[in-house]
Amino acid sequence: MATMPHIKSREIKVVQDIPISKTLPFWEGIKQGKILATKCKKCGKLYFPPVADCSKCFSSNMEWIELSREATIETFTHVVVRPRSFQQEKPYTVAIGKLQEGLRVLAWLTGFKLSEIKVGMKAKLVAKITHEGEPTYEFTRPE
Amino acid sequence: MRRVAVIGVGCSKFGVRNDVNVAELAFEAFKPSIEDAGISPADIEFVAVGSVGAGAWYEELLPAVVFAEYCGLTGAGLVRCEAACASGSAAFATAYWAVASGQADVATALGVEKMREIDTPTVMEWIGRAGHYLWEFHNFGMTFPAYYALYATAHMAKFGTTEEDLALVAVKNHKYASMNPIAHLQNRISVDDVLSSSIVAAPLKLYDCCPVSDGAASIILASEEKVKELKIDTPIWVAGVGYASGTANISKRLDYLGLEASVLASQKAYKMAKVTPEQLDVAVVHDCFTIAEIMAYEDIGLCKKGEGAKLIREGQTEIGGKIPVNVDGGLKAKGHPIGATGCSMIYELTKQLREEVAEKGRQASMKNYIALAHNVGGTGHYCYVIILRR
Ligand SMILES: [Zn+2]
């Protein structure tokens, strides 16, 4: 980077192992085509992203709920300048959609031309496995 | 709580500073701040450092101790404050509380960031991880411009704010940066330059975004007794300190039309200072992206919700208008070395309130001698609002 005299630092490569044991049904659910949220059995609050602990009543007694698929797009952007670990991807569209349950989800939006995407339009939320074999979910065109 | 005043300020040149390491950069801001206050490092009992990128975009993991040693501050109480892009303000608030509580008579807030020692895609990667990593970055690659673009899309859809309106913010801030010798970007630009610049995260284009900068700023705070003892002729009093936070997951915000944390923090600061937005003579607001400045106008009460674009269209936020905003060039053009920004805002407002701004056309006219700094961390994750009064 530097145009001035400099010394290169030692190189370090960092990869974290992120624990998912408490939200495992979510990650397993994706493989079966389901998108799951958690609901607090004590106070009834619904959570997406799913959580193991209720921040409203502090209960850890949660149940798993399958989410509806129909979303209304509230906002979106098309990301052209990508971060280091997304350099191999083509520019992508990210949207926030509101589901019937009142929850919002942030995810990629695929299957539309950029010029077709409007605030307020409908999209479908689907479970997916990435080309790297990782579980994810996307908004796409409703059938 | 005791009355607290800003008695000394210093700011480095912002920009690509490959000529200095991070401690040398801190020194560039710290030295003029103690000279300005007329004190020595031995007078400083507590130091709060604002910095974000330790171990990420610069090499030090515990930078505060390195700066303290380099600036002759070893022995003083020391802490590093992280509140994303509001870290400098978090350091300022921490130093303020140290003095206000009576724990220290003189304290320093030192904001430092060195962001240009690594390549841009890696900086984009680190800052993209500034939301909730697993749910917004891991699979979806949210970048910082993308977060603000979500707000821009929603604001445009709801209020009819246009890409030209956003561009006007950049044009204004570049104009003032062109007069500010410490600003990173000193070129004047036109609306067409902004509209024709490359798309970063639609609808935001390159000239809607602040640069990645290196820089440092230092603020010396003192108690009222110390102000008298040191015979400070123009103390700038800290009249209000407001703070609030927003959700980590952007999907959990109330809406995408403004930042709730900004609304709450500014209300707290106005209440503490017992002032209203109409009384402000000058303000600096968080304009990391052009849409951020328009939302800030609305969130801190410079206009009604949805009327931010009107304010910039009418030129009301330029010198001579209703309320001059970001006449130092803002984050957009002065630059945004993350941990330094909050302290550099206080640097600018102190100069404005003392009517010491040397450059022609950049000094706002003072009526009430009240100024406001609004500093957002992340995308509304943190907010600090500071009100100063001469
Ligand atoms: Zn609960």
Side-chain angles (χ1 to χ4, degrees), chain A residues 1 4 18 49 74-78 80-81 83-86 92 94 104 106 108 135-137, chain B residues 18 118-119 121-122 125 135 137 139-141 149-150 153-154 199-202 251 253-254 256:
Chain A
M1 293 310 101
M4 291 274 179
I18 304 169
E74 288 198 342
T75 190
F76 63 95
T77 179
H78 186 64
V80 176
V81 178
R84 169 63 64 213
S85 65
F86 283 80
Y92 42 86
V94 187
R104 290 204 198 93
L106 178 146
W108 279 9
T136 189
Y137 42 96
Chain B
N18 292 330
I118 64 170
D119 61 279
T122 308
E125 174 91 15
W135 301 101
F137 188 84
N139 283 325
F140 308 121
L150 292 176
T153 300
I199 291 177
V200 174
S251 62
R253 300 287 169 83
L254 293 177
Y256 303 99

mmCIF file of all heavy atoms in Angstrom, chain A residues 1 4 18 49 74-78 80-81 83-86 92 94 104 106 108 135-137, chain B residues 18 118-119 121-122 125 135 137 139-141 149-150 153-154 199-202 251 253-254 256:
data_model
loop_
_atom_site.group_PDB
_atom_site.id
_atom_site.type_symbol
_atom_site.label_atom_id
_atom_site.label_comp_id
_atom_site.label_asym_id
_atom_site.label_seq_id
_atom_site.Cartn_x
_atom_site.Cartn_y
_atom_site.Cartn_z
ATOM 1 N N MET A 1 0.828 -1.203 0.000
ATOM 2 C CA MET A 1 0.000 0.000 0.000
ATOM 3 C C MET A 1 0.862 1.252 0.000
ATOM 4 O O MET A 1 0.634 2.188 -0.724
ATOM 5 C CB MET A 1 -0.868 0.051 1.280
ATOM 6 C CG MET A 1 -1.918 -1.033 1.365
ATOM 7 S SD MET A 1 -2.920 -1.185 -0.109
ATOM 8 C CE MET A 1 -2.159 -2.598 -0.910
ATOM 9 N N MET A 4 5.604 5.369 0.740
ATOM 10 C CA MET A 4 6.722 5.836 1.566
ATOM 11 C C MET A 4 7.520 4.625 2.059
ATOM 12 O O MET A 4 7.019 3.511 2.047
ATOM 13 C CB MET A 4 6.159 6.590 2.775
ATOM 14 C CG MET A 4 5.508 7.898 2.433
ATOM 15 S SD MET A 4 6.757 9.179 2.382
ATOM 16 C CE MET A 4 5.762 10.589 1.941
ATOM 17 N N ILE A 18 -17.302 -20.470 14.787
ATOM 18 C CA ILE A 18 -18.436 -19.806 15.436
ATOM 19 C C ILE A 18 -19.406 -20.863 15.966
ATOM 20 O O ILE A 18 -19.955 -21.634 15.181
ATOM 21 C CB ILE A 18 -19.158 -18.869 14.433
ATOM 22 C CG1 ILE A 18 -18.157 -17.869 13.843
ATOM 23 C CG2 ILE A 18 -20.322 -18.158 15.097
ATOM 24 C CD1 ILE A 18 -18.694 -17.075 12.668
ATOM 25 N N PRO A 49 -33.090 -12.935 13.461
ATOM 26 C CA PRO A 49 -32.447 -14.243 13.545
ATOM 27 C C PRO A 49 -32.822 -15.000 14.821
ATOM 28 O O PRO A 49 -33.064 -14.379 15.851
ATOM 29 C CB PRO A 49 -30.955 -13.893 13.562
ATOM 30 C CG PRO A 49 -30.864 -12.513 13.002
ATOM 31 C CD PRO A 49 -32.139 -11.841 13.335
ATOM 32 N N GLU A 74 -38.901 -3.944 1.851
ATOM 33 C CA GLU A 74 -38.949 -2.601 2.465
ATOM 34 C C GLU A 74 -37.830 -1.708 1.949
ATOM 35 O O GLU A 74 -37.978 -0.500 1.865
ATOM 36 C CB GLU A 74 -38.845 -2.708 3.994
ATOM 37 C CG GLU A 74 -40.107 -3.261 4.617
ATOM 38 C CD GLU A 74 -40.194 -2.979 6.095
ATOM 39 O OE1 GLU A 74 -39.167 -2.659 6.732
ATOM 40 O OE2 GLU A 74 -41.305 -3.085 6.627
ATOM 41 N N THR A 75 -36.674 -2.299 1.660
ATOM 42 C CA THR A 75 -35.576 -1.520 1.078
ATOM 43 C C THR A 75 -34.552 -2.482 0.486
ATOM 44 O O THR A 75 -34.590 -3.684 0.743
ATOM 45 C CB THR A 75 -34.948 -0.560 2.110
ATOM 46 O OG1 THR A 75 -34.049 0.326 1.424
ATOM 47 C CG2 THR A 75 -34.195 -1.300 3.208
ATOM 48 N N PHE A 76 -33.654 -1.946 -0.350
ATOM 49 C CA PHE A 76 -32.664 -2.797 -1.011
ATOM 50 C C PHE A 76 -31.488 -1.953 -1.493
ATOM 51 O O PHE A 76 -31.565 -0.721 -1.547
ATOM 52 C CB PHE A 76 -33.286 -3.530 -2.215
ATOM 53 C CG PHE A 76 -33.753 -2.593 -3.304
ATOM 54 C CD1 PHE A 76 -32.931 -2.288 -4.386
ATOM 55 C CD2 PHE A 76 -35.006 -1.991 -3.238
ATOM 56 C CE1 PHE A 76 -33.339 -1.394 -5.371
ATOM 57 C CE2 PHE A 76 -35.422 -1.101 -4.218
ATOM 58 C CZ PHE A 76 -34.596 -0.804 -5.287
ATOM 59 N N THR A 77 -30.393 -2.644 -1.825
ATOM 60 C CA THR A 77 -29.245 -1.989 -2.449
ATOM 61 C C THR A 77 -28.565 -3.002 -3.366
ATOM 62 O O THR A 77 -28.726 -4.217 -3.181
ATOM 63 C CB THR A 77 -28.238 -1.460 -1.401
ATOM 64 O OG1 THR A 77 -27.117 -0.856 -2.082
ATOM 65 C CG2 THR A 77 -27.694 -2.570 -0.504
ATOM 66 N N HIS A 78 -27.825 -2.476 -4.341
ATOM 67 C CA HIS A 78 -27.067 -3.344 -5.236
ATOM 68 C C HIS A 78 -25.589 -3.090 -4.963
ATOM 69 O O HIS A 78 -25.098 -1.989 -5.197
ATOM 70 C CB HIS A 78 -27.439 -3.027 -6.692
ATOM 71 C CG HIS A 78 -26.810 -3.961 -7.676
ATOM 72 N ND1 HIS A 78 -27.105 -5.313 -7.701
ATOM 73 C CD2 HIS A 78 -25.910 -3.750 -8.666
ATOM 74 C CE1 HIS A 78 -26.411 -5.890 -8.670
ATOM 75 N NE2 HIS A 78 -25.672 -4.965 -9.271
ATOM 76 N N VAL A 80 -21.871 -3.174 -5.550
ATOM 77 C CA VAL A 80 -20.920 -3.321 -6.665
ATOM 78 C C VAL A 80 -19.498 -3.449 -6.119
ATOM 79 O O VAL A 80 -18.757 -4.367 -6.497
ATOM 80 C CB VAL A 80 -21.025 -2.123 -7.635
ATOM 81 C CG1 VAL A 80 -19.970 -2.240 -8.740
ATOM 82 C CG2 VAL A 80 -22.431 -2.053 -8.244
ATOM 83 N N VAL A 81 -19.116 -2.548 -5.209
ATOM 84 C CA VAL A 81 -17.770 -2.622 -4.615
ATOM 85 C C VAL A 81 -17.833 -3.590 -3.445
ATOM 86 O O VAL A 81 -18.516 -3.344 -2.458
ATOM 87 C CB VAL A 81 -17.291 -1.227 -4.166
ATOM 88 C CG1 VAL A 81 -15.920 -1.328 -3.514
ATOM 89 C CG2 VAL A 81 -17.245 -0.272 -5.351
ATOM 90 N N PRO A 83 -16.359 -6.551 -0.565
ATOM 91 C CA PRO A 83 -15.259 -6.765 0.372
ATOM 92 C C PRO A 83 -14.333 -7.902 -0.075
ATOM 93 O O PRO A 83 -14.689 -8.681 -0.968
ATOM 94 C CB PRO A 83 -15.960 -7.115 1.684
ATOM 95 C CG PRO A 83 -17.365 -7.439 1.350
ATOM 96 C CD PRO A 83 -17.677 -6.899 0.004
ATOM 97 N N ARG A 84 -13.194 -8.001 0.571
ATOM 98 C CA ARG A 84 -12.160 -8.984 0.227
ATOM 99 C C ARG A 84 -12.732 -10.387 -0.001
ATOM 100 O O ARG A 84 -12.482 -11.006 -1.018
ATOM 101 C CB ARG A 84 -11.097 -8.997 1.342
ATOM 102 C CG ARG A 84 -10.076 -10.116 1.324
ATOM 103 C CD ARG A 84 -9.180 -10.127 0.096
ATOM 104 N NE ARG A 84 -8.334 -8.952 -0.006
ATOM 105 C CZ ARG A 84 -7.973 -8.408 -1.190
ATOM 106 N NH1 ARG A 84 -8.379 -8.935 -2.330
ATOM 107 N NH2 ARG A 84 -7.200 -7.350 -1.212
ATOM 108 N N SER A 85 -13.509 -10.919 0.945
ATOM 109 C CA SER A 85 -13.950 -12.312 0.848
ATOM 110 C C SER A 85 -15.132 -12.505 -0.105
ATOM 111 O O SER A 85 -15.603 -13.624 -0.282
ATOM 112 C CB SER A 85 -14.273 -12.872 2.240
ATOM 113 O OG SER A 85 -15.378 -12.198 2.802
ATOM 114 N N PHE A 86 -15.608 -11.423 -0.735
ATOM 115 C CA PHE A 86 -16.665 -11.535 -1.743
ATOM 116 C C PHE A 86 -16.147 -11.126 -3.125
ATOM 117 O O PHE A 86 -16.941 -10.909 -4.035
ATOM 118 C CB PHE A 86 -17.876 -10.670 -1.351
ATOM 119 C CG PHE A 86 -18.728 -11.293 -0.274
ATOM 120 C CD1 PHE A 86 -18.343 -11.212 1.060
ATOM 121 C CD2 PHE A 86 -19.893 -11.982 -0.584
ATOM 122 C CE1 PHE A 86 -19.117 -11.789 2.061
ATOM 123 C CE2 PHE A 86 -20.674 -12.559 0.412
ATOM 124 C CZ PHE A 86 -20.288 -12.470 1.735
ATOM 125 N N TYR A 92 -24.015 -8.051 -6.145
ATOM 126 C CA TYR A 92 -25.215 -8.711 -5.626
ATOM 127 C C TYR A 92 -26.184 -7.702 -5.038
ATOM 128 O O TYR A 92 -25.789 -6.601 -4.656
ATOM 129 C CB TYR A 92 -24.829 -9.763 -4.565
ATOM 130 C CG TYR A 92 -23.743 -9.326 -3.582
ATOM 131 C CD1 TYR A 92 -24.050 -8.616 -2.424
ATOM 132 C CD2 TYR A 92 -22.396 -9.641 -3.828
ATOM 133 C CE1 TYR A 92 -23.057 -8.235 -1.530
ATOM 134 C CE2 TYR A 92 -21.395 -9.248 -2.946
ATOM 135 C CZ TYR A 92 -21.726 -8.556 -1.793
ATOM 136 O OH TYR A 92 -20.743 -8.170 -0.915
ATOM 137 N N VAL A 94 -28.908 -6.854 -2.091
ATOM 138 C CA VAL A 94 -29.320 -7.212 -0.735
ATOM 139 C C VAL A 94 -30.610 -6.454 -0.430
ATOM 140 O O VAL A 94 -30.721 -5.273 -0.754
ATOM 141 C CB VAL A 94 -28.255 -6.816 0.319
ATOM 142 C CG1 VAL A 94 -28.637 -7.351 1.698
ATOM 143 C CG2 VAL A 94 -26.880 -7.326 -0.079
ATOM 144 N N ARG A 104 -38.643 -9.030 10.201
ATOM 145 C CA ARG A 104 -37.900 -8.649 8.998
ATOM 146 C C ARG A 104 -36.714 -9.574 8.808
ATOM 147 O O ARG A 104 -36.115 -10.046 9.776
ATOM 148 C CB ARG A 104 -37.385 -7.234 9.110
ATOM 149 C CG ARG A 104 -38.441 -6.179 9.041
ATOM 150 C CD ARG A 104 -37.774 -4.904 8.561
ATOM 151 N NE ARG A 104 -38.598 -3.750 8.856
ATOM 152 C CZ ARG A 104 -38.463 -3.025 9.959
ATOM 153 N NH1 ARG A 104 -37.545 -3.337 10.866
ATOM 154 N NH2 ARG A 104 -39.226 -1.993 10.154
ATOM 155 N N LEU A 106 -33.011 -9.863 6.446
ATOM 156 C CA LEU A 106 -32.060 -9.283 5.481
ATOM 157 C C LEU A 106 -31.454 -10.442 4.695
ATOM 158 O O LEU A 106 -30.972 -11.412 5.308
ATOM 159 C CB LEU A 106 -30.970 -8.498 6.207
ATOM 160 C CG LEU A 106 -29.873 -7.880 5.322
ATOM 161 C CD1 LEU A 106 -29.392 -6.553 5.912
ATOM 162 C CD2 LEU A 106 -28.665 -8.809 5.145
ATOM 163 N N TRP A 108 -29.979 -11.775 0.369
ATOM 164 C CA TRP A 108 -29.811 -11.470 -1.056
ATOM 165 C C TRP A 108 -31.159 -11.586 -1.750
ATOM 166 O O TRP A 108 -32.000 -12.405 -1.369
ATOM 167 C CB TRP A 108 -28.810 -12.454 -1.697
ATOM 168 C CG TRP A 108 -27.390 -12.068 -1.435
ATOM 169 C CD1 TRP A 108 -26.944 -11.094 -0.600
ATOM 170 C CD2 TRP A 108 -26.226 -12.674 -2.016
ATOM 171 N NE1 TRP A 108 -25.567 -11.054 -0.615
ATOM 172 C CE2 TRP A 108 -25.107 -12.010 -1.480
ATOM 173 C CE3 TRP A 108 -26.016 -13.716 -2.928
ATOM 174 C CZ2 TRP A 108 -23.796 -12.349 -1.819
ATOM 175 C CZ3 TRP A 108 -24.717 -14.054 -3.273
ATOM 176 C CH2 TRP A 108 -23.610 -13.371 -2.734
ATOM 177 N N PRO A 135 -25.117 -23.299 4.287
ATOM 178 C CA PRO A 135 -26.550 -22.983 4.357
ATOM 179 C C PRO A 135 -26.809 -21.481 4.317
ATOM 180 O O PRO A 135 -26.096 -20.714 4.963
ATOM 181 C CB PRO A 135 -26.978 -23.566 5.709
ATOM 182 C CG PRO A 135 -25.728 -23.666 6.514
ATOM 183 C CD PRO A 135 -24.597 -23.835 5.549
ATOM 184 N N THR A 136 -27.819 -21.069 3.543
ATOM 185 C CA THR A 136 -28.204 -19.658 3.506
ATOM 186 C C THR A 136 -29.679 -19.556 3.124
ATOM 187 O O THR A 136 -30.373 -20.570 3.045
ATOM 188 C CB THR A 136 -27.300 -18.845 2.550
ATOM 189 O OG1 THR A 136 -27.571 -17.448 2.716
ATOM 190 C CG2 THR A 136 -27.513 -19.224 1.088
ATOM 191 N N TYR A 137 -30.152 -18.338 2.900
ATOM 192 C CA TYR A 137 -31.540 -18.108 2.487
ATOM 193 C C TYR A 137 -31.556 -16.866 1.632
ATOM 194 O O TYR A 137 -30.679 -16.008 1.753
ATOM 195 C CB TYR A 137 -32.473 -17.969 3.702
ATOM 196 C CG TYR A 137 -31.890 -17.128 4.831
ATOM 197 C CD1 TYR A 137 -32.193 -15.773 4.943
ATOM 198 C CD2 TYR A 137 -31.016 -17.696 5.762
ATOM 199 C CE1 TYR A 137 -31.635 -15.000 5.965
ATOM 200 C CE2 TYR A 137 -30.454 -16.932 6.778
ATOM 201 C CZ TYR A 137 -30.769 -15.589 6.870
ATOM 202 O OH TYR A 137 -30.210 -14.839 7.863
ATOM 203 N N ASN B 18 1.078 7.806 4.917
ATOM 204 C CA ASN B 18 2.101 6.761 4.931
ATOM 205 C C ASN B 18 3.448 7.259 5.444
ATOM 206 O O ASN B 18 4.387 6.484 5.587
ATOM 207 C CB ASN B 18 2.296 6.190 3.525
ATOM 208 C CG ASN B 18 1.081 5.422 3.064
ATOM 209 O OD1 ASN B 18 0.362 4.855 3.880
ATOM 210 N ND2 ASN B 18 0.831 5.419 1.779
ATOM 211 N N ILE B 118 -3.454 -0.980 4.993
ATOM 212 C CA ILE B 118 -3.875 -2.205 4.287
ATOM 213 C C ILE B 118 -4.696 -1.815 3.054
ATOM 214 O O ILE B 118 -5.083 -0.664 2.890
ATOM 215 C CB ILE B 118 -4.678 -3.156 5.206
ATOM 216 C CG1 ILE B 118 -5.996 -2.518 5.657
ATOM 217 C CG2 ILE B 118 -3.843 -3.560 6.429
ATOM 218 C CD1 ILE B 118 -6.936 -3.488 6.353
ATOM 219 N N ASP B 119 -4.995 -2.814 2.198
ATOM 220 C CA ASP B 119 -5.690 -2.529 0.932
ATOM 221 C C ASP B 119 -7.189 -2.275 1.158
ATOM 222 O O ASP B 119 -7.762 -2.710 2.145
ATOM 223 C CB ASP B 119 -5.492 -3.701 -0.039
ATOM 224 C CG ASP B 119 -6.059 -4.982 0.525
ATOM 225 O OD1 ASP B 119 -5.380 -5.630 1.351
ATOM 226 O OD2 ASP B 119 -7.212 -5.312 0.184
ATOM 227 N N PRO B 121 -10.123 -3.443 -0.357
ATOM 228 C CA PRO B 121 -11.080 -4.554 -0.161
ATOM 229 C C PRO B 121 -11.014 -5.145 1.249
ATOM 230 O O PRO B 121 -12.039 -5.571 1.797
ATOM 231 C CB PRO B 121 -10.649 -5.586 -1.210
ATOM 232 C CG PRO B 121 -9.963 -4.792 -2.261
ATOM 233 C CD PRO B 121 -9.273 -3.666 -1.552
ATOM 234 N N THR B 122 -9.832 -5.143 1.860
ATOM 235 C CA THR B 122 -9.717 -5.667 3.228
ATOM 236 C C THR B 122 -10.332 -4.683 4.234
ATOM 237 O O THR B 122 -10.983 -5.092 5.193
ATOM 238 C CB THR B 122 -8.254 -6.010 3.568
ATOM 239 O OG1 THR B 122 -7.737 -6.865 2.543
ATOM 240 C CG2 THR B 122 -8.143 -6.736 4.909
ATOM 241 N N GLU B 125 -13.896 -5.239 4.008
ATOM 242 C CA GLU B 125 -14.224 -6.491 4.709
ATOM 243 C C GLU B 125 -14.394 -6.226 6.210
ATOM 244 O O GLU B 125 -15.395 -6.586 6.816
ATOM 245 C CB GLU B 125 -13.101 -7.509 4.486
ATOM 246 C CG GLU B 125 -13.240 -8.803 5.267
ATOM 247 C CD GLU B 125 -14.008 -9.891 4.516
ATOM 248 O OE1 GLU B 125 -14.196 -9.748 3.287
ATOM 249 O OE2 GLU B 125 -14.420 -10.859 5.168
ATOM 250 N N TRP B 135 -25.304 -12.826 10.655
ATOM 251 C CA TRP B 135 -26.609 -12.672 10.005
ATOM 252 C C TRP B 135 -26.608 -11.635 8.893
ATOM 253 O O TRP B 135 -27.599 -11.519 8.169
ATOM 254 C CB TRP B 135 -27.674 -12.351 11.054
ATOM 255 C CG TRP B 135 -27.738 -13.444 12.070
ATOM 256 C CD1 TRP B 135 -27.183 -13.426 13.317
ATOM 257 C CD2 TRP B 135 -28.312 -14.746 11.902
ATOM 258 N NE1 TRP B 135 -27.389 -14.631 13.936
ATOM 259 C CE2 TRP B 135 -28.082 -15.463 13.100
ATOM 260 C CE3 TRP B 135 -29.003 -15.376 10.860
ATOM 261 C CZ2 TRP B 135 -28.520 -16.774 13.279
ATOM 262 C CZ3 TRP B 135 -29.438 -16.676 11.042
ATOM 263 C CH2 TRP B 135 -29.193 -17.364 12.236
ATOM 264 N N PHE B 137 -23.235 -10.346 7.370
ATOM 265 C CA PHE B 137 -22.013 -10.344 6.553
ATOM 266 C C PHE B 137 -21.686 -11.711 5.972
ATOM 267 O O PHE B 137 -21.388 -11.843 4.789
ATOM 268 C CB PHE B 137 -20.807 -9.824 7.351
ATOM 269 C CG PHE B 137 -19.602 -9.642 6.465
ATOM 270 C CD1 PHE B 137 -19.439 -8.485 5.731
ATOM 271 C CD2 PHE B 137 -18.670 -10.655 6.313
ATOM 272 C CE1 PHE B 137 -18.364 -8.327 4.864
ATOM 273 C CE2 PHE B 137 -17.593 -10.514 5.455
ATOM 274 C CZ PHE B 137 -17.441 -9.344 4.732
ATOM 275 N N ASN B 139 -23.044 -14.524 4.886
ATOM 276 C CA ASN B 139 -23.617 -14.962 3.613
ATOM 277 C C ASN B 139 -23.994 -13.819 2.685
ATOM 278 O O ASN B 139 -24.199 -14.042 1.501
ATOM 279 C CB ASN B 139 -24.881 -15.801 3.864
ATOM 280 C CG ASN B 139 -24.534 -17.210 4.314
ATOM 281 O OD1 ASN B 139 -23.542 -17.781 3.872
ATOM 282 N ND2 ASN B 139 -25.338 -17.748 5.202
ATOM 283 N N PHE B 140 -24.124 -12.614 3.219
ATOM 284 C CA PHE B 140 -24.738 -11.545 2.432
ATOM 285 C C PHE B 140 -23.773 -10.416 2.068
ATOM 286 O O PHE B 140 -24.121 -9.545 1.286
ATOM 287 C CB PHE B 140 -25.972 -11.011 3.162
ATOM 288 C CG PHE B 140 -26.921 -12.114 3.567
ATOM 289 C CD1 PHE B 140 -27.269 -12.326 4.884
ATOM 290 C CD2 PHE B 140 -27.405 -12.995 2.605
ATOM 291 C CE1 PHE B 140 -28.113 -13.370 5.256
ATOM 292 C CE2 PHE B 140 -28.246 -14.049 2.954
ATOM 293 C CZ PHE B 140 -28.600 -14.240 4.289
ATOM 294 N N GLY B 141 -22.594 -10.424 2.650
ATOM 295 C CA GLY B 141 -21.554 -9.474 2.236
ATOM 296 C C GLY B 141 -21.939 -8.022 2.351
ATOM 297 O O GLY B 141 -21.601 -7.200 1.495
ATOM 298 N N ALA B 149 -26.930 2.626 2.020
ATOM 299 C CA ALA B 149 -27.727 2.586 0.788
ATOM 300 C C ALA B 149 -29.138 2.075 1.080
ATOM 301 O O ALA B 149 -30.105 2.519 0.465
ATOM 302 C CB ALA B 149 -27.043 1.704 -0.251
ATOM 303 N N LEU B 150 -29.269 1.148 2.038
ATOM 304 C CA LEU B 150 -30.602 0.658 2.417
ATOM 305 C C LEU B 150 -31.449 1.821 2.949
ATOM 306 O O LEU B 150 -32.636 1.927 2.659
ATOM 307 C CB LEU B 150 -30.498 -0.448 3.477
ATOM 308 C CG LEU B 150 -29.870 -1.769 3.023
ATOM 309 C CD1 LEU B 150 -29.742 -2.728 4.218
ATOM 310 C CD2 LEU B 150 -30.679 -2.436 1.918
ATOM 311 N N THR B 153 -32.349 4.189 -0.116
ATOM 312 C CA THR B 153 -33.452 3.653 -0.938
ATOM 313 C C THR B 153 -34.792 3.921 -0.269
ATOM 314 O O THR B 153 -35.740 4.390 -0.911
ATOM 315 C CB THR B 153 -33.269 2.125 -1.126
ATOM 316 O OG1 THR B 153 -32.031 1.893 -1.785
ATOM 317 C CG2 THR B 153 -34.404 1.528 -1.949
ATOM 318 N N ALA B 154 -34.867 3.634 1.036
ATOM 319 C CA ALA B 154 -36.134 3.798 1.758
ATOM 320 C C ALA B 154 -36.512 5.276 1.873
ATOM 321 O O ALA B 154 -37.680 5.651 1.704
ATOM 322 C CB ALA B 154 -36.027 3.160 3.143
ATOM 323 N N ILE B 199 -20.798 3.433 -9.307
ATOM 324 C CA ILE B 199 -21.699 2.953 -8.255
ATOM 325 C C ILE B 199 -20.914 2.094 -7.264
ATOM 326 O O ILE B 199 -20.154 1.205 -7.649
ATOM 327 C CB ILE B 199 -22.881 2.170 -8.852
ATOM 328 C CG1 ILE B 199 -23.778 3.150 -9.620
ATOM 329 C CG2 ILE B 199 -23.685 1.455 -7.757
ATOM 330 C CD1 ILE B 199 -24.938 2.524 -10.323
ATOM 331 N N VAL B 200 -21.083 2.389 -5.991
ATOM 332 C CA VAL B 200 -20.463 1.598 -4.920
ATOM 333 C C VAL B 200 -21.494 0.604 -4.386
ATOM 334 O O VAL B 200 -21.280 -0.601 -4.389
ATOM 335 C CB VAL B 200 -19.921 2.514 -3.807
ATOM 336 C CG1 VAL B 200 -19.415 1.694 -2.621
ATOM 337 C CG2 VAL B 200 -18.798 3.397 -4.352
ATOM 338 N N ALA B 201 -22.618 1.138 -3.890
ATOM 339 C CA ALA B 201 -23.767 0.320 -3.470
ATOM 340 C C ALA B 201 -24.984 1.172 -3.810
ATOM 341 O O ALA B 201 -25.256 2.150 -3.130
ATOM 342 C CB ALA B 201 -23.708 0.001 -1.982
ATOM 343 N N ALA B 202 -25.682 0.790 -4.891
ATOM 344 C CA ALA B 202 -26.772 1.627 -5.416
ATOM 345 C C ALA B 202 -27.795 1.918 -4.315
ATOM 346 O O ALA B 202 -28.127 1.015 -3.560
ATOM 347 C CB ALA B 202 -27.449 0.916 -6.582
ATOM 348 N N SER B 251 -32.058 -5.434 10.525
ATOM 349 C CA SER B 251 -33.435 -5.888 10.264
ATOM 350 C C SER B 251 -34.368 -5.595 11.438
ATOM 351 O O SER B 251 -35.576 -5.699 11.301
ATOM 352 C CB SER B 251 -33.453 -7.385 9.945
ATOM 353 O OG SER B 251 -32.975 -8.124 11.049
ATOM 354 N N ARG B 253 -34.460 -2.612 13.092
ATOM 355 C CA ARG B 253 -34.716 -1.175 13.288
ATOM 356 C C ARG B 253 -36.201 -0.858 13.088
ATOM 357 O O ARG B 253 -36.913 -1.601 12.419
ATOM 358 C CB ARG B 253 -33.873 -0.360 12.285
ATOM 359 C CG ARG B 253 -32.366 -0.576 12.437
ATOM 360 C CD ARG B 253 -31.827 0.092 13.684
ATOM 361 N NE ARG B 253 -30.453 -0.332 13.949
ATOM 362 C CZ ARG B 253 -29.377 0.209 13.370
ATOM 363 N NH1 ARG B 253 -29.511 1.183 12.489
ATOM 364 N NH2 ARG B 253 -28.176 -0.215 13.680
ATOM 365 N N LEU B 254 -36.622 0.300 13.638
ATOM 366 C CA LEU B 254 -38.024 0.721 13.511
ATOM 367 C C LEU B 254 -38.403 0.935 12.053
ATOM 368 O O LEU B 254 -39.459 0.553 11.594
ATOM 369 C CB LEU B 254 -38.255 2.035 14.277
ATOM 370 C CG LEU B 254 -38.134 2.002 15.801
ATOM 371 C CD1 LEU B 254 -38.312 3.399 16.373
ATOM 372 C CD2 LEU B 254 -39.165 1.042 16.398
ATOM 373 N N TYR B 256 -36.308 2.596 8.012
ATOM 374 C CA TYR B 256 -35.029 2.935 7.358
ATOM 375 C C TYR B 256 -35.033 4.391 6.870
ATOM 376 O O TYR B 256 -34.465 4.723 5.839
ATOM 377 C CB TYR B 256 -34.744 1.911 6.230
ATOM 378 C CG TYR B 256 -34.745 0.531 6.848
ATOM 379 C CD1 TYR B 256 -35.870 -0.285 6.759
ATOM 380 C CD2 TYR B 256 -33.685 0.128 7.652
ATOM 381 C CE1 TYR B 256 -35.921 -1.502 7.431
ATOM 382 C CE2 TYR B 256 -33.724 -1.079 8.333
ATOM 383 C CZ TYR B 256 -34.838 -1.884 8.221
ATOM 384 O OH TYR B 256 -34.876 -3.062 8.908
#
